[in-house]
Amino acid sequence: MTDVAVIGFAQAPNVRRTDGTTNGVEMLVPVFQQVLGQTGLAKEQVGFWCSGSSDYLAGRAFSFVSAVDAIGAFPPVMESHVEMDGAWALYEAWVKILTGEASTALAYGFGKSSAGLLRRVLALQLDPYVVAPLWPDSVSIAALQARLGIEAGRWTEEQMAQVAVRSRSAAAGNPAAQLSGTVDVAELLSRPYIADPLRAHDCAPITDGAAAVVLAAGDVAREHCARPAWITGFEHRIDSGSLGARDLLAAPSAAAAGRAAGAGTVDTAELHSPFTHQEILLRGELGLGEQVTVNPSGGPLSGNPMFAAGLARIGSAAAEIMAGRAGRALGHATSGPALQQNLVCVMEAR
Amino acid sequence: MTAPLSAPLEISFDYTRSLGPVLAKFMTALADRRILGSRGSDGRVHVPPAEFDPVSFAPPAELIEVGPEGTVLTWSWTDHPVDGQPLDRPFAWALIRLDGADTGMLHAVDGGSAGQMRTGMRVRPRWAAQTSGQITDIECFEPATQPARQSAAEPAAAAAGQAVAAGQAVAGQVADGAADGAEPVTMIITPVRLGYQHTASTEESRYLRALQDGKIIGQRCPACQKVYVPPRGACPTDGVPTTTDVELPDHGIVTTFCVVNVPFQGQRVATPYVAASILLDGADIAFQHLILGCAPDEVRMGMRVRAVWRPPEDWGTTSENIDHFEPTGEPDAPYESYAHHL
């Protein structure tokens, strides 16, 4: 099988609100320039482009078509889009290279979450017959899962706060992070609930942002990157869309994707866990022991641009390898309510 | 730099959804104030019913009545409900396992305060005063220990909490599963309304502000030197923002056009009329506008046209300041002069 590696990663600053449009052009133009600059590739050398975004988030039809302007897509380019996080666009790009139709690809994701009321917009990813008409917001649904774990003794509010403390501390080294710095557990626990049992620090912030990852095959990768992050496993799985029918204290799709991709052998992991308790849950499902460094970037709790944050996890994990700080790393992405869908990409240095 | 223009944007759509055989029975029963679940091949009872058995993938063999009371499996408390949620005061979301069911159903519990909520507490449905075959027929759940509380007087609006009419169910032909004497429900209408703060790009904002002064501003791409009107956040050829302002005249030529004969919602001009690509003199990219002031069959490729502006007192930061374009009567441009713009 063709060897494929991540050879570049860039992201827009994670911020609470941008002045830009919801088609992402303003965020994407500099991100493309940065990631192509890293790799030394000209845009004409990119064989396939694939994006992840959502019209529900943008509040306009075909917002991803306007985003293509940021590529400079004339003369026409080979291009595709998924109405998913950019991590799934990266999966499509990886498959495209495996088929031999391209030797390089650029996947990107973007979202201006600040344009609407994010937790309400996300109600529309739920069953449209018996759930979405009640408009359950994403934070309240995550809180149902958090309480189950607290009452089952799987985690405590204090452990959840510790996740937030570690995340903000790690994010101090990430110039793109929205939230970073020193906070302490007692102080966090003194703050009010926003969706009992979740407090603000348990929830990823609302973030505008964009991210891009460049893939290349074999010698092209070696030519354009000193230490490529070679993909050794790339899998995604999905659990039932019915919230009440599945055990919310498990994420079988994460465990299955992790097993198939080889998650058990990594030294570093970037987890797409928009809520503190979900990082604890995912560590267990992916079999990540204490020796594994989790979310050295700060993870989504320090910045969660919708439709880009999952791709940014893979990019951040790859960046750890490319910089020589990790030997084998995984990037994880999730989609849907309460960790319904999960994707795992395992990469290594050679 | 002046901030880009932005304005609230509200979009809405009433989704009409066919229910299929399983959910049709579920919704029909709700209209009759009963709750149905499906028994799976493994014996588990799903509520709401599963349209296909999660184990065998076959349609459910039977639907059985469950509840009406149930047990809270987990809950979360919200102090600030958002538009459309079942209650407009603080309440709990909960997964509720109805008596006789094996799965939790997501709904609201009118629990008073977080301090009164408990996992394991018993709840019962509070039905809307008028039911129609929708999940919102259950206005919410309430603690089973409380005296029953009457539903709000305006059930539809209160249950859905929406300014637009709450969902209505539509009775249809399929009699299967109909409650005694009730019309079976086969379709539902679920309104979706979302609010955004919509923002024009920096470049579009310059264009729109100039229009307010009766000027047309294009911008030149610093890479390919083409003049775009409206200017763009990224030149589609080079992927960089257009930069240098170029003031353009309000006249140009029709490069290509079509005659619109099809009526559609929101149409402002009587059919037939002409929608055309218009290339302003000095611009490299055509934009679309209406050609009025002549019969549709007189419009030609290469025809010279000029803008007809609305009265200045009506001008705003909008493309609508130009009502339409009309023929100038000058000789047509030769095909070669605009062939590369097609």
Side-chain angles (χ1 to χ4, degrees):
Chain A
M1 198 162 81
T2 310
D3 282 337
V4 182
V6 172
I7 61 165
F9 165 60
Q11 60 180 324
N14 286 203
V15 294
R16 176 64 182 83
R17 189 182 302 279
T18 63
D19 260 354
T21 60
T22 54
N23 62 34
V25 164
E26 299 85 351
M27 296 188 287
L28 288 169
V29 165
V31 165
F32 289 164
Q33 286 173 355
Q34 192 185 336
V35 79
L36 292 174
Q38 273 174 31
T39 58
L41 287 168
K43 72 180 171 77
E44 295 76 15
Q45 291 174 281
V46 176
F48 180 61
W49 301 75
C50 197
S51 61
S53 69
S54 168
D55 283 355
Y56 276 107
L57 195 73
R60 60 191 293 186
F62 295 106
S63 55
F64 68 94
V65 174
S66 306
V68 169
D69 279 359
I71 299 174
F74 185 86
V77 297
M78 184 153 65
E79 177 269 337
S80 184
H81 174 260
V82 296
E83 196 84 0
M84 293 284 284
D85 186 284
W88 277 263
L90 186 74
Y91 185 89
E92 182 176 336
W94 175 67
V95 170
K96 197 76 167 181
I97 293 179
L98 293 183
T99 64
E101 286 190 46
S103 58
T104 54
L106 189 153
Y108 61 100
F110 64 93
K112 185 181 175 178
S113 303
S114 67
L117 186 57
L118 177 61
R119 67 185 195 278
R120 185 170 181 271
V121 170
L122 288 176
L124 296 178
Q125 70 185 330
L126 304 167
D127 175 290
Y129 296 91
V130 297
V131 184
L134 303 172
W135 291 90
D137 57 280
S138 53
V139 177
S140 293
I141 287 177
L144 295 173
Q145 185 180 39
R147 182 180 306 285
L148 274 175
I150 290 168
E151 295 187 349
R154 291 280 298 278
W155 49 74
T156 63
E157 291 179 38
E158 186 171 0
Q159 287 169 327
M160 289 158 61
Q162 282 163 355
V163 171
V165 168
R166 206 217 55 245
S167 166
R168 297 213 192 162
S169 164
N174 174 4
Q178 180 177 354
L179 299 178
S180 65
T182 306
V183 281
D184 74 47
V185 168
E187 183 199 341
L188 292 180
L189 290 177
S190 72
R191 294 184 190 163
Y193 292 117
I194 58 163
D196 184 350
L198 297 180
R199 298 177 174 85
H201 68 259
D202 291 310
C203 311
I206 297 165
T207 308
D208 292 354
V213 168
V214 178
L215 294 180
D219 287 341
V220 184
R222 281 180 278 268
E223 190 183 326
H224 289 273
C225 181
R227 190 175 148 99
W230 296 99
I231 295 173
T232 59
F234 205 164
E235 302 283 342
H236 62 92
R237 302 285 188 275
I238 182 167
D239 290 316
S240 169
S242 173
L243 274 172
R246 63 186 173 100
D247 174 5
L248 294 180
L249 291 183
S253 59
R259 266 193 308 277
T265 58
V266 301
D267 53 63
T268 302
E270 280 281 343
L271 303 181
H272 189 193
S273 44
F275 298 92
T276 49
H277 68 277
Q278 293 180 345
E279 182 182 304
I280 299 169
L281 200 162
L282 281 168
R283 270 178 181 260
E285 293 294 39
L286 295 173
L288 306 176
E290 286 301 314
Q291 76 289 357
V292 178
T293 305
V294 171
N295 287 350
S297 72
L301 293 167
S302 66
N304 187 37
M306 292 303 299
F307 299 90
L311 180 66
R313 301 282 70 70
I314 299 173
S316 298
E320 291 297 300
I321 292 175
M322 292 188 284
R325 289 188 293 267
R328 202 167 151 78
L330 75 77
H332 159 269
T334 194
S335 182
L339 300 175
Q340 186 207 356
Q341 304 182 44
N342 292 281
L343 173 150
V344 175
C345 179
V346 176
M347 296 156 284
E348 66 178 17
R350 282 184 190 156
Chain B
M1 192 175 72
T2 321
L5 289 166
S6 78
L9 171 71
E10 195 161 274
I11 56 177
S12 61
F13 189 75
D14 291 351
Y15 287 85
T16 302
R17 298 187 182 278
S18 306
L19 290 171
V22 175
L23 288 177
K25 287 176 189 167
F26 176 71
M27 296 299 186
T28 302
L30 283 181
D32 195 34
R33 296 184 171 79
R34 294 180 302 122
I35 305 172
L36 300 184
S38 62
R39 191 186 298 284
S41 58
D42 58 358
R44 273 161 58 90
V45 174
H46 289 254
V47 180
E51 293 186 87
F52 295 93
D53 188 302
V55 179
S56 71
F57 310 120
E62 60 168 333
L63 298 185
I64 59 170
E65 189 168 343
V66 295
E69 290 194 7
T71 303
V72 169
L73 301 176
T74 182
W75 57 276
S76 60
W77 188 261
T78 181
D79 281 321
H80 302 287
V82 298
D83 188 24
Q85 294 185 339
L87 295 164
D88 57 9
R89 56 184 175 275
F91 71 94
W93 287 103
L95 285 172
I96 299 158
R97 186 172 60 215
L98 294 169
D99 295 347
D102 293 289
T103 66
M105 181 167 92
L106 183 68
H107 218 297
V109 176
D110 191 5
S113 70
Q116 294 168 273
M117 290 296 301
R118 291 283 180 279
T119 297
M121 73 191 279
R122 299 282 295 164
V123 293
R124 65 171 169 245
R126 178 188 301 158
W127 294 95
Q130 286 178 345
T131 58
S132 63
Q134 293 242 42
I135 193 65
T136 48
D137 286 352
I138 302 172
E139 189 175 298
C140 63
F141 282 77
E142 62 190 11
T145 50
Q146 276 180 7
R149 187 187 141 136
Q150 284 301 306
S151 160
E154 296 293 333
Q162 292 162 341
V164 292
Q168 313 158 341
V170 182
Q173 302 290 322
V174 181
D176 195 18
D180 292 345
E183 278 286 296
V185 177
T186 60
M187 306 264 276
I188 57 172
I189 297 171
T190 56
V192 167
R193 195 182 72 226
L194 294 167
Y196 300 86
Q197 185 70 17
H198 188 70
T199 309
S201 70
T202 306
E203 296 79 10
E204 287 163 342
S205 298
R206 287 188 68 74
Y207 167 74
L208 293 169
R209 286 185 169 119
L211 274 176
Q212 188 165 30
D213 300 329
K215 292 181 190 163
I216 303 174
I217 294 285
Q219 279 186 339
R220 198 179 293 281
C221 169
C224 67
Q225 305 297 321
K226 286 194 169 162
V227 173
Y228 288 85
V229 60
R232 305 174 76 109
C235 164
T237 301
D238 299 294
V240 294
T242 56
T243 47
T244 322
D245 283 1
V246 179
E247 188 173 342
L248 295 165
D250 66 354
H251 48 82
I253 60 164
V254 171
T255 56
T256 184
F257 66 96
C258 71
V259 181
V260 179
N261 287 293
V262 182
F264 56 85
Q265 198 178 4
Q267 198 167 35
R268 294 185 309 165
V269 183
T271 58
Y273 63 90
V274 172
S277 282
I278 295 163
L279 185 69
L280 296 179
D281 293 346
D284 290 294
I285 309 294
F287 65 95
Q288 248 197 33
H289 221 299
L290 302 174
I291 307 293
L292 302 175
C294 66
D297 62 5
E298 290 171 24
V299 176
R300 307 169 299 278
M301 291 170 74
M303 187 166 79
R304 295 204 60 82
V305 291
R306 69 176 159 237
V308 176
W309 295 76
R310 295 190 171 184
E313 57 271 26
D314 294 344
W315 289 351
T317 51
T318 167
S319 301
E320 292 176 354
N321 294 354
I322 297 176
D323 187 75
H324 61 272
F325 281 73
E326 66 179 11
T328 65
E330 299 163 279
D332 289 0
Y335 180 77
E336 301 73 37
S337 69
Y338 61 86
H340 65 289
H341 291 294
L342 294 172

